[in-house]
Amino acid sequence: MALLIEKYNNFYKWAESVSDPRVHDWSFIPSPIPTYSLCVLYLLFACKLGPMFMKNRDAFQPKWTLVIYNAILTALNLHIFIELLFGMINAKYSWPCQPVRTDNDPTELRIAAALWWYFVSKLIEFLDTVFFILRKKNNQLTFLHIYHHSTMPMIWWICVKWVPGGSSVHGAVLNAFVHVVMYFYYGMAALGPQYQKYLWWKKYLTQIQLVQFTIALILGSYVLYLDCDYPKFISWIVILYMISFLFLFGNFYRKAYLTSSKKEKSHSEEHQVVTQRRSVRLRANISN
């Protein structure tokens, strides 16, 4: 036991020594305990406590709360996207390989701050699940949803702690843009059924997400191929994580759009056959 504790302490000291000194004192960053504790509490609430609390209660209908919440997240992700995009341009970042610069250059600090806000946004997004539960939309509490929301803060705490810049920006800037579109969509949907006619593009939103994961997977793999001066363990995390997302989101897309469209087509064909048969019988009865 003493040997294990010693090894852990040695590993912790080493990990701290290679972390980025610029973000050492930023909120949530010094220790993993606050972030990972919130993720555990999120899992407990999403999987057990939340549904149990709402079991014998009427569903809440927080229409304007949802509209404001989604507007805030749309604006926050737009801010993150702009900060990262212009930060990359000003710092002359290269694709796909960009080492992390740990100096106190104002542009690099701007990028690090935007990545910190990106990480914080993943904690704020726990409220997505809270609103599902309060509205008794338990069908939305899929494995994909809970897996996505519970793991993103963990992974991005690691990224901000050790690589708040460089090639980490590529995936974050793509995801921030997708989240601008996504939360704008959710905000429109929250306004009520009269706006459903403007939300015909939900299918394409999922397609954009799948394209995003594919690009992030390619970039992460290419960083390894180039032997870029960027931590390989981060690249491997990105690669494995994107593979899991492609599988889960791909499965969701298949069930939600491909399988359902086949069923609708089959039902439509069956309806046409039944209608034709009734028409033939009606004509036969008339002729008789």
Side-chain angles (χ1 to χ4, degrees):
M1 188 66 181
L3 181 61
L4 287 174
I5 293 173
E6 183 183 352
K7 289 194 175 206
Y8 170 78
N9 288 334
N10 290 337
F11 173 78
Y12 184 81
K13 288 177 183 177
W14 170 81
E16 282 294 313
S17 70
V18 296
S19 64
D20 195 310
R22 299 173 301 168
V23 301
H24 180 72
D25 295 327
W26 293 11
S27 297
F28 290 100
I29 302 306
S31 168
I33 292 175
T35 298
Y36 283 57
S37 296
L38 286 172
C39 290
V40 171
L41 289 173
Y42 166 81
L43 286 170
L44 285 172
F45 181 82
C47 298
K48 184 71 175 177
L49 300 179
M52 186 170 66
F53 174 77
M54 290 300 298
K55 184 176 181 181
N56 298 315
R57 290 176 169 84
D58 294 332
F60 289 87
Q61 300 299 333
K63 175 182 175 179
W64 289 108
T65 301
L66 282 173
V67 172
I68 294 168
Y69 167 72
N70 285 297
I72 290 171
L73 276 177
T74 301
L76 177 58
N77 278 283
L78 181 60
H79 167 75
I80 293 166
F81 171 73
I82 291 171
E83 286 294 288
L84 291 177
L85 180 63
F86 284 97
M88 291 170 65
I89 292 171
N90 292 337
K92 296 181 171 57
Y93 270 28
S94 63
W95 291 72
C97 174
Q98 177 60 51
V100 180
R101 301 167 184 160
T102 57
D103 54 44
N104 288 317
D105 176 79
T107 302
E108 290 296 334
L109 287 172
R110 177 184 183 183
I111 289 170
L115 287 177
W116 181 86
W117 273 110
Y118 178 74
F119 153 71
V120 169
S121 75
K122 301 309 167 189
L123 296 173
I124 297 171
E125 287 170 15
F126 284 166
L127 290 174
D128 290 5
T129 308
V130 173
F131 288 128
F132 281 151
I133 291 172
L134 293 178
R135 296 164 65 208
K136 302 193 91 166
K137 300 281 187 180
N138 291 345
N139 61 310
Q140 303 282 356
L141 301 178
T142 61
F143 174 80
L144 168 59
H145 175 87
I146 294 173
Y147 168 75
H148 175 212
H149 280 70
S150 63
T151 54
M152 283 292 282
M154 297 181 187
I155 288 174
W156 275 98
W157 178 85
I158 293 172
C159 289
V160 175
K161 176 80 171 176
W162 280 280
V163 284
S167 290
S168 299
V169 176
H170 301 145
V173 73
L174 290 171
N175 190 249
F177 172 77
V178 171
H179 276 65
V180 170
V181 179
M182 187 179 77
Y183 281 105
F184 176 78
Y185 174 93
Y186 290 158
M188 288 284 290
L191 287 170
Q194 65 269 33
Y195 289 89
Q196 289 298 316
K197 60 184 177 181
Y198 302 114
L199 302 175
W200 50 266
W201 44 279
K202 182 179 181 181
K203 172 181 178 180
Y204 302 104
L205 177 57
T206 308
Q207 290 178 351
I208 291 171
Q209 289 175 310
L210 289 169
V211 170
Q212 170 205 183
F213 301 143
T214 303
I215 293 173
L217 175 61
I218 292 170
L219 290 175
S221 302
Y222 204 49
V223 166
L224 288 179
Y225 172 75
L226 290 174
D227 196 23
C228 179
D229 186 17
Y230 180 82
K232 287 185 172 54
F233 81 96
I234 298 290
S235 295
W236 277 113
I237 289 174
V238 170
I239 290 167
L240 296 173
Y241 201 45
M242 290 306 105
I243 289 172
S244 71
F245 272 174
L246 281 170
F247 174 78
L248 292 169
F249 274 84
N251 189 50
F252 164 78
Y253 183 84
R254 179 181 62 82
K255 288 181 178 178
Y257 301 110
L258 300 182
T259 304
S260 63
S261 64
K262 286 181 181 178
K263 286 181 179 178
E264 288 174 5
K265 183 178 179 181
S266 176
H267 290 157
S268 176
E269 290 174 349
E270 288 178 5
H271 178 71
Q272 288 178 1
V273 169
V274 170
T275 303
Q276 289 172 357
R277 287 176 179 173
R278 286 177 180 172
S279 178
V280 169
R281 288 173 186 168
L282 181 60
R283 287 197 297 269
N285 290 335
I286 293 173
S287 63
N288 289 336

